[in-house]
Amino acid sequence: MVPVDTIDYITASGPYAELHVGETTHVIRERMQTLEERLDPTAFMRIHRSTIVRLDEIDALLHNPGGDYAVRLKKGERLSVSRSRRDELEDRLGLNELD
């Protein structure tokens, strides 16, 4: 059992999901869609078909050459953001708010 509040991000690996908790990775047999549905949407967001991230672990949204985006987590990891999910991520991070 892995407490949800310790998960930094989750990545897909074939029929498995890898739960990244600090320096440790736990492998479980679960579909990403099932995990996405079970996680608190105010705390987690699917940023790519193969990645779910804890929003408060995001340090920066990066614009890569070629128009691709990624997030940098507080511990330094970089995770790709799909183009179709970028706008929602910006909204969730409060980057599209008008002053």
Side-chain angles (χ1 to χ4, degrees):
M1 296 294 257
V2 177
V4 172
D5 61 348
T6 64
I7 298 171
D8 298 324
Y9 64 100
I10 303 167
T11 54
S13 179
Y16 299 95
E18 297 178 349
L19 309 177
H20 299 269
V21 179
E23 300 294 319
T24 306
T25 301
H26 303 276
V27 179
I28 62 171
R29 188 172 181 94
E30 192 66 73
R31 293 179 18 201
M32 292 295 280
Q33 181 164 345
T34 302
L35 291 171
E36 180 182 20
E37 292 168 355
R38 293 177 60 192
L39 292 167
D40 179 357
T42 64
F44 289 91
M45 181 181 164
R46 192 165 185 172
I47 60 170
H48 192 276
R49 67 178 179 84
S50 62
T51 310
I52 298 171
V53 67
R54 174 182 290 282
L55 293 169
D56 65 5
E57 284 298 315
I58 296 174
D59 184 49
L61 178 61
L62 309 171
H63 185 233
N64 296 324
D68 292 334
Y69 284 82
V71 291
R72 182 180 62 227
L73 302 185
K74 293 176 181 174
K75 295 174 185 163
E77 298 95 336
R78 289 178 181 234
L79 306 171
S80 294
V81 177
S82 68
R83 291 180 182 167
S84 64
R85 298 178 190 263
R86 181 184 54 92
D87 287 341
E88 181 185 352
L89 178 60
E90 286 179 343
D91 288 343
R92 301 275 303 275
L93 295 175
L95 301 176
N96 283 338
E97 295 177 3
L98 299 175
D99 294 342

